[in-house]
Amino acid sequence: MGIFSARAQQVTVAADGSGQFRTIQAALNSLPNEAARPRTVYIKNGTYREKVMLDGKQNITLKGQSEKGVVLTYAQARDEWRCDPVAGQDDWGVATLNMRNSPDITLENLTIINSYGFDAKGDVEIPCATAPGGKRTIGKNGHQMALRTMPGTTRLTVKHCTLRALGGDTVSPWDVDAGMYYFKDCTLEGGVDFYCPRGWAFAENCRFICHNTSAAIWHDGSGNQESKTVLKNCSFEGDAGFKLGRFHREAQFFLVNCKFSRDMADADIYQASSGPGAKQWGRRVYYQNCRREGGDYAWHKDNLSTAPGALKASNITADWTFGGRWYPVSGKPATVALPAYDPTAKDRYSALPQAASTAPAGSAAAAPSTDSVAEKMLVYQRSVGGWPKAVGSAKVDYSKPLSAAVRASTLADAGRNDATIDNDATTREIRYLAKAFKATGKAEYKAAAEKGVRFLLQMQYANGGFPQYYPDKSNYRHQITYNDNAMVKALQVLRDLSRRTNDLDALNASLTEPATQAVARGIDCILKTQYVQRGKLTAWCAQHDEVTLQPAKARAFELASLSAMESVGIVRFLMDTENPTPAIRQAVEAAVAWLDAVKLTGYAVKDQPDARQPKGFDRVIVPEAGSTIWARFYDLETNQPIYVGRESKPQARLADIEYERRTGYAYAGVWPEKLLNREYPRWQQKWNTTASPAPGSTK
């Protein structure tokens, strides 16, 4: 397609599949980290429910089709994020849109929302491995970041964007030493300190909406005496009694031609008692021509002339604000160098303080033992909560040693958009970590497993289906995926959690009810996706469209077709249901009848030695008395076996597709044999008293 070339200048994202990518993250992942010319990720109108991580990439514009039409939304309370003992050690990943070490980024025509406070019904108590007592109360109005930038992200331009949250720190561009941020024609909404830049910031023609009485705006200029936050031609409104602003450290405010609503409190920008305040450079808060609806307060009278340099309003421009370090309007080259950026340095305003020991004085705290495999699983867990099945072309293998360099690079890559339930990824780790926690008592294993469960709950569609990947929905990854039992294995983890069995009883009980509800939705999806052929229930396809629920094509050799292999796993899951409903019983009976009807009696699939072939053997289907096999895929209308190679053309014989595919993919097997001969008869005997006894059983 050419979109992965460094020469490519634009890729398109569309939630409806009409672009090259369905998710913003997938589009960003496709771009090289560096490029001489700007790259544009053009985003069509739609709602994108994903957390986006922009890490180590530069010179990119995220451009929406329209500000109101493109909505990037995610729900995440900062206090909840901090409860993760691994990812929550700093703010990387706490926001809806996260950036670090990514200079020269432009955001245009976007709405970015952290919906936690809007969604929450009230304060909730959650398990928290990093909090005293192991629990923390998450407030509906607590800190919630829509945009969070970390050091290395400078020269950020935000135009015609809406950034919303109900809590504090909605817009948090934080690099006190070298951060430079330009906002124009934007709407910003949140709670306390919801616009809180560190370094240099200029906001022009912006609307600020405050839902807290402590402060709307905030600044940290402690890194350089010249750093400042400038607000020109901006308007401020909010809840009754909201205060304009405050600062905890050295700060410098310029407000020019701003308008305040009558709801603003009679309180000047003030020094917060909880911070070190302005000690080195004194109080620096300047106003010019600022007016309040209903009458001005005395404290915002004109005092710009008292600023160093006897400034006038005409001096206060975006280019002036950054003092030669950046010219966002004129585009001139910088004349003042920024401090050198150290990508290994910690964000000093992001890391959690070291937790105090709760062990009695003079005693030695017993450290929990560790599990080497579980430790590697902690390293590979992605910020979103799931795990990858591979990194690039290399499969994740926990049996291999993990060097310090690989460990460091993998942890730094936690924002990669490759979390999946394919090939046992995520479900395998959740089960292993829960068991490891019970064996070792190490809280990080439990927290990681619980985060994995929350990933499963989050990725599930409202109709109960599961995509193959989340939040990456590019290509066929967005489809409801029964292939290789991916969805069934996710549901079985949630079912075991709801039943408090198979070591998942170690996880927090607050997850039990959400897991129970997710299983119910999953069963409903399974029943609705069972294929109806000429009015008769049959089986399932390996993939189904997440909207229409109809069979869908995935890879070139995976056409929309009935799948014997995947249907076996689904039937087993349904048979494991306690007190199955009539609809579940009907689904099982119909699928078993179909599997019995399409069996290939008198045949076997074998790997026969063949020195002429690249692998030294060939895979063939041959006659064999007494044997029964099933094709993996069957035509949706004729129930005839089909074998499909990379040309996507169904063939009647396995021998008719290319050697690479027929020996590299399971096109035929005995998957339903045990189900039909043993498991189903016993299930039928239990739920149908008129049925014949199962082989080898007694009534």
Side-chain angles (χ1 to χ4, degrees), residues 507-535:
L507 305 188
N508 194 280
S510 66
L511 294 170
T512 303
E513 182 57 27
T516 302
Q517 295 175 7
V519 171
R521 289 193 298 270
I523 291 175
D524 185 59
C525 179
I526 288 172
L527 298 180
K528 289 178 178 177
T529 50
Q530 190 170 15
Y531 188 67
V532 179
Q533 188 184 83
R534 293 181 291 278

Side-chain angles (χ1 to χ4, degrees), residues 298-552:
W299 49 265
H300 62 78
K301 66 181 180 180
D302 294 352
N303 68 340
L304 183 60
S305 60
T306 66
L311 295 169
K312 298 180 179 180
S314 58
N315 300 131
I316 311 300
T317 65
D319 286 355
W320 167 84
T321 297
F322 302 101
R325 298 165 181 82
W326 184 34
Y327 293 88
V329 175
S330 66
K332 294 192 301 183
T335 56
V336 176
L338 289 173
Y341 171 61
D342 179 5
T344 66
K346 279 279 189 181
D347 181 349
R348 60 181 179 269
Y349 298 116
S350 171
L352 284 176
Q354 190 70 30
S357 174
T358 57
S363 68
S369 59
T370 60
D371 180 297
S372 61
V373 171
E375 290 293 315
K376 295 171 191 172
M377 288 179 174
L378 297 183
V379 172
Y380 277 96
Q381 188 172 27
R382 299 313 194 194
S383 300
V384 73
W387 281 265
K389 66 176 182 178
V391 179
S393 59
K395 293 182 179 180
V396 175
D397 185 351
Y398 296 117
S399 67
K400 293 182 178 179
L402 198 61
S403 68
V406 171
R407 175 186 173 86
S409 64
T410 303
L411 287 171
D413 209 21
R416 183 186 285 264
N417 196 31
D418 56 359
T420 181
I421 56 172
D422 191 31
N423 290 6
D424 295 329
T426 300
T427 53
R428 165 188 56 184
E429 285 84 357
I430 291 171
R431 290 189 181 279
Y432 191 96
L433 287 164
K435 186 175 182 179
F437 168 69
K438 293 181 77 172
T440 66
K442 188 167 183 179
E444 286 87 345
Y445 301 162
K446 176 174 179 284
E450 290 171 349
K451 186 175 181 180
V453 169
R454 293 189 182 97
F455 169 77
L456 296 182
L457 295 172
Q458 185 174 6
M459 79 183 301
Q460 186 183 32
Y461 290 125
N463 62 18
F466 281 78
Q468 188 183 52
Y469 282 71
Y470 180 83
D472 180 9
K473 297 180 181 179
S474 58
N475 300 320
Y476 54 83
R477 294 176 171 182
H478 57 92
Q479 295 168 354
I480 293 172
T481 304
Y482 296 125
N483 191 28
D484 289 332
N485 297 316
M487 174 169 157
V488 167
K489 289 179 180 178
L491 285 173
Q492 193 60 62
V493 165
L494 295 172
R495 174 175 275 172
D496 286 350
L497 176 57
S498 71
R499 293 174 176 173
R500 314 297 293 171
T501 59
N502 292 333
D503 295 315
L504 297 182
D505 58 316
L507 305 188
N508 194 280
S510 66
L511 294 170
T512 303
E513 182 57 27
T516 302
Q517 295 175 7
V519 171
R521 289 193 298 270
I523 291 175
D524 185 59
C525 179
I526 288 172
L527 298 180
K528 289 178 178 177
T529 50
Q530 190 170 15
Y531 188 67
V532 179
Q533 188 184 83
R534 293 181 291 278
K536 185 178 181 180
L537 286 173
T538 58
W540 292 266
C541 182
Q543 295 83 212
H544 287 254
D545 185 275
E546 72 273 20
V547 177
T548 67
L549 304 185
Q550 293 302 304

Side-chain angles (χ1 to χ4, degrees), residues 100-132:
R100 68 178 176 189
N101 192 20
S102 294
D104 300 304
I105 303 298
T106 296
L107 310 178
E108 187 173 352
N109 297 338
L110 305 171
T111 291
I112 304 169
I113 301 172
N114 187 329
S115 66
Y116 181 86
F118 299 115
D119 298 341
K121 294 181 174 60
D123 297 352
V124 296
E125 185 177 75
I126 67 168
C128 184
T130 63

